[in-house]
């Protein structure tokens, strides 16, 4: 009986050492892959953050006249009916922009509520 437990302990020890050596190889290999991925992603991420700072930031005080002018154009287009002269491509692009705005609003609401389900009333 003791020899049976001794053999089982030896087998368990050999399995443990094989597992330990293979897991360390896996850790080192994944670290190498992670470093290579970081090196390849660095130029793309720097370009992304450069654009994100400009495009995703809130409007500055110098941009308010442009915003006011743009809203005036939208109002004039609505009143005069010039929006009916748009091509189908422009209408589709504007509709997709509107859908994107609505989707980001919904995502923000879900994040703010911290739940997919409605508000707790």
């Amino acid at each position: 009986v003791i020899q049976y437990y001794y053999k089982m302990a030896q087998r368990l020890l050999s399995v443990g050492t094989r597992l330990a050596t293979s897991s360390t190889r896996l850790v080192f290999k994944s670290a190498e892959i992670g470093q290579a991925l970081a090196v390849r992603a660095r130029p793309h991420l720097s370009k992304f953050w450069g654009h994100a700072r400009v495009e995703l930031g809130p409007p500055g005080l110098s941009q308010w006249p442009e915003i006011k002018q743009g809203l005036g154009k939208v109002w004039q287009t609505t009143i005069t009916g010039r929006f009916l002269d748009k091509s189908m491509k422009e209408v589709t692009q504007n509709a997709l922009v509107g859908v994107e705005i609505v989707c980001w609003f919904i995502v923000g609401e879900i994040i703010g509520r911290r739940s997919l389900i409605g508000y707790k009333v």
Side-chain angles (χ1 to χ4, degrees):
V1 174
I2 291 180
Q3 283 204 348
Y4 173 75
Y5 287 122
Y6 180 71
K7 285 183 181 180
M8 289 300 287
Q10 283 181 335
R11 287 183 187 164
L12 186 61
L13 182 64
S14 68
V15 168
T17 54
R18 279 187 285 168
L19 183 63
T21 56
S22 64
S23 65
T24 54
R25 274 188 263 142
L26 178 66
V27 167
F28 285 124
K29 188 66 174 176
S30 63
E32 290 174 11
I33 291 172
Q35 285 177 343
L37 183 63
V39 167
R40 285 188 66 191
R42 188 167 289 130
H44 299 288
L45 286 174
S46 65
K47 183 177 179 181
F48 167 76
W49 284 117
H51 291 300
R53 275 190 212 98
V54 174
E55 297 295 329
L56 299 177
L61 292 175
S62 62
Q63 293 175 323
W64 281 106
E66 295 174 27
I67 294 169
K68 186 177 178 183
Q69 207 172 36
L71 289 175
K73 285 182 182 178
V74 169
W75 181 252
Q76 285 298 321
T77 303
T78 305
I79 289 175
T80 59
R82 280 190 310 194
F83 65 91
L84 296 173
D85 296 334
K86 299 279 186 187
S87 69
M88 197 61 195
K89 181 179 178 180
E90 290 174 318
V91 170
T92 304
Q93 287 174 343
N94 290 340
L96 288 175
V97 168
V99 168
E100 182 183 8
I101 290 170
V102 168
C103 288
W104 281 115
F105 174 79
I106 291 170
V107 167
E109 286 288 312
I110 290 170
I111 291 170
R113 287 192 306 253
R114 295 183 182 158
S115 171
L116 281 173
I117 304 172
Y119 291 104
K120 296 177 184 175
V121 180

